[in-house]
Amino acid sequence: MFTITTLLKAFLKRLARPFRWMAQTERSGRFVWSLILADGVLISLATVILDAYGPARRLNAEDVEFLTGGILVFPLVFLVYVPAWPMAAWWQPLKIIASNLLAVLVFPLAFHWLEIPLDRAALVSVLLACTPLQILLHWAHHRRRGRTPLEPLRWILLAAGGCLAGLPFATTRPVGTGDAYWYGNMVGDFVTQWRAGIFPVFVGQSDYAFNGAVSPLRYAPYLQHAAGVLDLLTGRVLSPVTLLNLTLFLSLLAAVFTTYVALLAIDRGARWLALLFTLLFISSPAVLSLAYTGDLFMSVCTLPYLPLIVYAIWRTFQCRDTFSVCFLAAALAAVWLAHPPIAFWLTIIAVLSQGVRLVYEIRHAPAWRGWVAGAVLFASLVSFEFISVATLKLPALPAEPTVIVAVLKQVFPAIFGPVSAGASVLADYQLGWGLWIALIAGTAVACLRPRGFALSLILGCALLLALLLPVPYVMEKIWLTMPQAIDNITYMWPMQRFYVLLAIMAVFLGFVGATGTAARKPWRHTMLYSGLLAAIAWSGYQASFFLARGFQDTASPPLARLTALPQNRILTRYAFSSFPITPPYYSHGFVDPLLENRLLSIDSLQEITSNHRALLAEAGAIRSEGTVPARPYGDSLTYFELLGALPIEPGRHYALELDFNHPDLTGSLIVAGTTVQREYYLPDSGAGLPVVSAPTSFGARPTNARSFSVWSSATATEPLLLQFFSSVPVKQDISAFGRYVLREFDPARLPVAVKSWTPYRATVTTSTPAYVETPRIFIDGYAAMVNKVAVPVSRSPTGLVMFPVGAGQSGVKLYYPGPLSLRLGYFFSLAAWAGLIVFYFFRIFRREPSPGTT
C-alpha cells in the first residue's frame, strides 16, 4: 500500500543518488555541506559588494533575486555533481580555491548579460577574503565522516529559506523608515571611527552622530561591532548602509542554520523534521515582523542565538555538566549585547528552567559548580555592557503600564488573524497559525510524557502568554504591579519582545513532540509531514506580505544617493532620545555641526560669538539677495514655488538666510537640487521635542536661526530650488513670502574652524579667554587638549561639552577615552570573548569523529 510518505521517500532516494555517490567517495562527510554553507555566504556577500561597484546601474530587487537564486546554483552544482577529486583530506581545500576561481569566471558573464558594470578586482578581493574562512570551516569538520547523502540538499533548502527571508536586505540602498535610517547613521559613525584608528568606540564622533550619540552603542553594542567586523573583512569598501543590510541579511541566514543545527543536536535522526520546523520558524510573522514592520534591527541580530539558548537549556537537562551551563551563559551574553529587552526575558526563562532542573535533580547533588562557572562566564562576557550603562548615568525611558495594557488589549484578538495587507500594524507582531499549532500540540504531547526540558519551556510560554493575552484579572494585574524597571526595559509594545521568544520555544516544543510521536505509526508520520508542509505553505504566504513591505520601504536609487551625501545627513530624534536634555540646535532637518560651535564668556557663560554669527558678518560674503515670491502651482492652496534657481558652485560653502513675512505659516520648506535634498518644518524645524532653552534651529520663530548652510558635491554649478508645502490651505496672500540673502563663507575663517570630527580637532581664534562650546552633549568621560595641554571639560548651560581656551589662536582636540572602569570593562569582555572562541575551536579540533545517520 503506497502512501504519500512512500512516494516522497522514493523521490528523495532517486534525487539523492549523486549525493550518496559523492559521500561515499569523500574522506570527509561534512566537507560538502560546510563548503556549500561557506560558498552560499560568499556568493551572497559578493552580490551585495558587486552592487556597490555598479555606478552606472544599481541592482534592483529582480536583479538581486536572480543573482542570489540563480548564480548561486552554479557553485552548488559544481560542488555536488562534479566527481570528487582523489586527493588526501588535507588537500581538499584546493577544491574551495578552484570553486572560487570558477566563480570569478562566471560572475563577469552574468553581469555582462545583465549589462551591469563589474569591477573584477573587487570580486577577486572579496573571494580572497572569504577563502580562508571557507578553508577554516573545512578543517573544523574534516574529521567527521558521517554518511548523510541528503544533507547537502537540506542545507541548500535552508540557505534558500534564509536568503529569501533576508532578500530585501540584499541591496546597497536603505531598507526601512526612520529607525532604519538612524541605525545606518550609527553604523556609519562606528566604521568611520574604526577607519580613523579610534578603538574602542564609546560615543558618536563623526558627522553621522556629531552630537555624541550613545544609543544603541552603549546599550546594545553588537550591531555596530558586527558591522565593523564585516567592514574589516570586506576591505573597507562598503558603505554604512550596505554594511547594515549585510549584517541583517547574514543574521537571518545564520538564524536558519543555528536553528537547524540546534534541533539536529536534540535528535539527529529527525533531519527532515528539523528542516521543516526551521523553515516554519524563519517564515513566521514573529521573526519577519522584526525586520520589516518595525525596523527592529537590534532584535534581528538576536535571531541566530535564540535557538542556541533553547538548545543549551535542553543540554543542561541531558548532560548536567558545566559545559552546558557555560554554553547557555555565553549564548545569553550574546543576546544581551544584541538587545537587552529580549535578553532580559530570556534570562528569566533560562533561570526558570534551571529552577525546574533543580526540582528534577533534587535527589542528586545540586550542580552548584556548573552554575557558578556559568555565572562567572556570563559576568565576564557582558561586563562591558552593564558598566557602560552604569557609567552613562542617564535616566531610563519611562514606560507607563496603563499604556502597555491598552496596547495589548488593542491588538487582541487581531493577533490570531492573518497578517495585514501592508504588514504595518501592531497586530502583525504575532506568532502565526503554524507556530500556534506547534505550541499547542507540543505542549499537549509534553503533558502526556512530562520531561524537565519541555516543562521549563511550557512554563516560559505560560509566563509570556500571561503577559500578552488580556485574560480578565490576570494580565492587567500583573502589568500594573510590575516593577517600573521591568516596564522600562520592556517598553510600550511587549509583542515586539515576546512573540519571537514564543516562536523559538514553540519550534522546540513542536519538534520534541513530533520526534516522540511520528515514528509510532505510519499514518501519524504522514499526517505530521502533511501538516508541517501546509503550515509552511501558509506561513510562506504570510511572509510574502513582509517581504513586499521590505521592498516597498527600500529607497529608490536617486533617493539613496542623495541621502548618503554628507550635505543631506540628518540626526533624527533617536540621536537625542537617550539623553535627558535636547540641545537648542535640534532640528528634524539638516543641521550643520560646523555652525553649532560657540565661544562663551569665562565669567558669565554668555555667548561672545559663534560660527553662525560670524558667517553672517565678517566671515561671509554676499553673493546674491532679493525678494522671495510665492507662486502657487496651478490652483493649489498648499503647494508654492519660492525660488527658481539659486546657483551653487561645487567646492564652496554657502549660507542661505531667509526673512519671513509670514512667520506663522505651518508647513515644510523644501530645498532641492542635484545633490541637495532638505526639508525644514515651519515655523520651527525642531518642533516636537522639548529643548533645554529657546530653540536656535532653523525656523521663523523669534529665537530660531534664519539661515542654514548648503554646499554642493556636483561637478558643475547646481541650481537650488525652494518650495513651500503648507499643512493647511493658505487663504491669505503670501505672494510676498520674504527676502533671502545668499552668502559664501570660508570655514577656515570661522572663530572655531573645525578640521576633523573624528576626533574633534579645531583651530580656535578669540580675543579674550573663553569657553569653546561644541555641539556634543555632555556625559562623563570627555577629555580635551589645548595646544597639546590637557584642560578640564565641563557642562555648558545648554548641556553641551565645553572647555576653556586662552586669548589668541589655539589648536584644540576633544575626544572620548571614557572612564577607566568603562575601558577596563571593554577590554575584559573582549578578552573573555576571544578566549571563549579559542576554547571552542580547540574543542572542535580535539573532538573525536562521531558517526552520522542516513
Side-chain angles (χ1 to χ4, degrees):
M1 179 179 179
F2 288 97
T3 63
I4 297 177
T5 305
T6 306
L7 295 175
L8 183 61
K9 284 184 177 180
F11 171 75
L12 294 177
K13 187 175 181 180
R14 179 176 295 274
L15 184 64
R17 286 179 181 176
F19 295 95
R20 188 183 302 276
W21 170 78
M22 192 175 69
Q24 293 172 350
T25 58
E26 288 282 358
R27 292 189 60 185
S28 172
R30 296 202 176 185
F31 167 72
V32 178
W33 62 261
S34 64
L35 192 56
I36 287 177
L37 170 61
D39 270 358
V41 175
L42 168 70
I43 300 301
S44 303
L45 181 65
T47 300
V48 178
I49 292 178
L50 292 173
D51 186 5
Y53 279 85
R57 174 183 171 188
R58 297 290 180 181
L59 295 180
N60 55 34
E62 292 74 17
D63 295 333
V64 173
E65 185 176 358
F66 170 80
L67 291 172
T68 55
I71 299 181
L72 182 60
V73 173
F74 179 81
L76 297 181
V77 170
F78 170 76
L79 294 171
V80 174
Y81 284 90
V82 173
W85 298 343
M87 59 178 62
W90 186 260
W91 292 101
Q92 291 288 357
L94 287 177
K95 189 180 294 185
I96 300 176
I97 300 174
S99 66
N100 288 341
L101 291 177
L102 283 177
V104 173
L105 298 177
V106 170
F107 264 107
L109 296 177
F111 273 72
H112 178 73
W113 180 73
L114 290 172
E115 299 179 357
I116 302 175
L118 173 65
D119 190 328
R120 219 179 260 266
L123 173 61
V124 173
S125 65
V126 172
L127 294 173
L128 290 178
C130 292
T131 298
L133 176 62
Q134 295 171 280
I135 295 175
L136 182 62
L137 286 173
H138 164 61
W139 283 346
H141 298 288
H142 83 281
R143 298 181 65 188
R144 298 169 181 251
R145 300 183 176 87
R147 295 177 59 184
T148 54
L150 282 176
E151 195 64 7
L153 176 61
R154 284 185 282 266
W155 281 78
I156 292 173
L157 295 175
L158 290 169
C163 289
L164 186 60
L167 190 58
F169 291 112
T171 178
T172 60
R173 290 172 277 151
V175 179
T177 53
D179 287 357
Y181 181 82
W182 169 238
Y183 285 126
N185 277 357
M186 288 307 295
V187 169
D189 174 78
F190 189 86
V191 298
T192 298
Q193 294 194 56
W194 267 22
R195 292 175 184 180
I198 297 177
F199 181 84
V201 175
F202 294 135
V203 296
Q205 295 191 87
S206 71
D207 59 344
Y208 286 98
F210 62 80
N211 70 323
V214 295
S215 176
L217 178 61
R218 294 285 290 275
Y219 299 96
Y222 178 94
L223 175 63
Q224 286 100 312
H225 282 78
V229 171
L230 288 175
D231 185 50
L232 295 176
L233 293 176
T234 54
R236 297 180 170 181
V237 299
L238 299 182
S239 69
V241 170
T242 306
L243 289 172
L244 174 63
N245 291 344
L246 186 59
T247 302
L248 300 172
F249 180 87
L250 293 180
S251 295
L252 289 165
L253 185 63
V256 171
F257 296 121
T258 56
T259 304
Y260 177 72
V261 170
L263 294 174
L264 211 60
I266 294 178
D267 190 341
R268 294 187 177 277
R271 295 178 180 269
W272 286 110
L273 272 179
L275 169 70
L276 295 179
F277 274 102
T278 299
L279 295 180
L280 187 60
F281 172 68
I282 198 63
S283 62
S284 68
V287 171
L288 297 182
S289 61
L290 301 178
Y292 303 115
T293 298
D295 301 336
L296 304 177
F297 293 164
M298 291 187 293
S299 300
V300 173
C301 290
T302 67
L303 294 176
Y305 304 100
L306 301 185
L308 298 181
I309 291 174
V310 182
Y311 162 70
I313 293 174
W314 173 86
R315 185 184 171 96
T316 60
F317 282 93
Q318 295 297 120
C319 302
R320 303 186 183 92
D321 58 350
T322 301
F323 178 82
S324 300
V325 179
C326 290
F327 188 91
L328 175 61
L332 277 174
V335 178
W336 271 99
L337 294 176
H339 195 225
I342 287 180
F344 173 79
W345 290 102
L346 259 180
T347 304
I348 291 179
I349 294 172
V351 172
L352 183 64
S353 72
Q354 296 310 293
V356 174
R357 178 187 165 199
L358 180 62
V359 173
Y360 267 75
E361 300 176 10
I362 194 67
R363 296 181 179 179
H364 305 282
W368 300 114
R369 181 179 302 177
W371 288 333
V372 171
V376 171
L377 177 63
F378 176 81
S380 301
L381 297 175
V382 300
S383 59
F384 163 67
E385 180 171 356
F386 288 99
I387 293 174
S388 173
V389 174
T391 54
L392 277 176
K393 301 176 182 178
L394 296 177
L397 293 176
E400 179 59 44
T402 56
V403 176
I404 296 176
V405 172
V407 169
L408 292 174
K409 290 181 177 180
Q410 173 190 341
V411 299
F412 182 87
I415 54 173
F416 296 110
V419 173
S420 66
S424 58
V425 300
L426 286 177
D428 291 331
Y429 295 101
Q430 57 173 272
L431 200 56
W433 291 354
L435 287 182
W436 276 119
I437 295 173
L439 177 60
I440 296 171
T443 301
V445 173
C447 291
L448 294 176
R449 296 191 307 276
R451 294 291 187 272
F453 167 67
L455 179 59
S456 65
L457 293 190
I458 292 173
L459 291 177
C461 291
L463 171 64
L464 298 182
L465 290 175
L467 293 168
L468 281 172
L469 302 182
V471 179
Y473 307 108
V474 177
M475 184 266 285
E476 186 171 356
K477 182 67 174 178
I478 294 176
W479 281 113
L480 293 180
T481 57
M482 192 84 72
Q484 185 62 44
I486 297 180
D487 291 339
N488 292 343
I489 196 171
T490 307
Y491 209 50
M492 293 183 297
W493 300 302
M495 311 87 63
Q496 298 174 334
R497 288 82 164 94
F498 289 172
Y499 277 114
V500 68
L501 302 182
L502 283 171
I504 193 61
M505 289 190 288
V507 165
F508 276 80
L509 277 173
F511 177 77
V512 172
T515 55
T517 59
R520 292 179 178 270
K521 292 184 179 180
W523 66 269
R524 291 184 181 179
H525 195 272
T526 301
M527 288 187 61
L528 174 63
Y529 278 89
S530 300
L532 278 174
L533 290 174
I536 291 174
W538 170 255
S539 187
Y541 169 71
Q542 296 286 275
S544 65
F545 294 105
F546 292 103
L547 299 181
R549 172 71 185 270
F551 287 121
Q552 178 185 348
D553 288 343
T554 301
S556 64
L559 180 61
R561 287 193 293 270
L562 279 175
T563 56
L565 297 175
Q567 61 264 36
N568 302 320
R569 199 168 290 151
I570 63 174
L571 267 65
T572 66
R573 60 184 176 87
Y574 304 105
F576 302 89
S577 59
S578 56
F579 295 107
I581 61 99
T582 303
Y585 64 74
Y586 171 75
S587 171
H588 297 284
F590 173 80
V591 175
D592 188 348
L594 181 64
L595 305 185
E596 304 307 325
N597 292 268
R598 301 193 302 163
L599 295 178
L600 308 180
S601 169
I602 291 290
D603 299 324
S604 64
L605 296 181
Q606 296 298 312
E607 179 180 311
I608 299 174
T609 187
S610 66
N611 283 357
H612 184 267
R613 182 186 297 182
L615 74 84
L616 296 179
E618 68 275 4
I622 297 177
R623 294 303 179 215
S624 64
E625 59 182 323
T627 60
V628 179
R631 295 181 292 271
Y633 284 87
D635 297 329
S636 175
L637 297 177
T638 58
Y639 185 17
F640 299 86
E641 180 184 357
L642 301 182
L643 289 176
L646 284 178
I648 303 296
E649 298 183 13
R652 299 187 179 184
H653 289 259
Y654 297 88
L656 180 60
E657 182 181 4
L658 294 175
D659 186 16
F660 300 96
N661 290 336
H662 306 277
D664 293 330
L665 289 175
T666 59
S668 296
L669 180 71
I670 306 299
V671 184
T674 307
T675 65
V676 177
Q677 184 68 42
R678 307 273 185 85
E679 179 179 5
Y680 293 102
Y681 298 154
L682 293 178
D684 179 11
S685 67
L689 286 184
V691 295
V692 69
S693 63
T696 60
S697 56
F698 176 78
R701 298 293 190 198
T703 61
N704 285 127
R706 294 293 191 271
S707 61
F708 54 84
S709 68
V710 62
W711 68 93
S712 170
S713 56
T715 57
T717 300
E718 176 178 348
L720 205 62
L721 308 178
L722 267 69
Q723 300 165 335
F724 175 67
F725 287 90
S726 178
S727 56
V728 294
V730 179
K731 298 181 180 180
Q732 59 180 313
D733 182 13
I734 62 168
S735 57
F737 192 82
R739 290 187 57 82
Y740 83 93
V741 178
L742 181 66
R743 290 181 173 87
E744 182 184 345
F745 69 94
D746 183 1
R749 295 183 57 196
L750 297 175
V752 183
V754 180
K755 300 178 180 179
S756 166
W757 293 103
T758 316
Y760 180 97
R761 297 179 187 272
T763 300
V764 179
T765 305
T766 175
S767 58
T768 61
Y771 281 111
V772 178
E773 184 191 58
T774 71
R776 292 190 177 159
I777 300 176
F778 178 85
I779 57 174
D780 290 335
Y782 275 102
M785 300 184 70
V786 177
N787 296 327
K788 300 183 179 180
V789 177
V791 296
V793 175
S794 56
R795 186 194 307 267
S796 75
T798 55
L800 302 175
V801 172
M802 70 176 186
F803 53 91
V805 295
Q809 192 173 78
S810 305
V812 304
K813 175 183 177 182
L814 177 69
Y815 58 103
Y816 189 86
L820 178 61
S821 59
L822 179 67
R823 300 196 299 273
L824 292 177
Y826 183 89
F827 287 107
F828 182 75
S829 291
L830 184 63
W833 278 107
L836 182 67
I837 293 172
V838 171
F839 169 79
Y840 181 72
F841 273 104
F842 270 107
R843 182 181 175 87
I844 290 177
F845 283 115
R846 294 178 60 184
R847 186 181 301 169
E848 292 298 323
S850 58
T853 58
T854 58

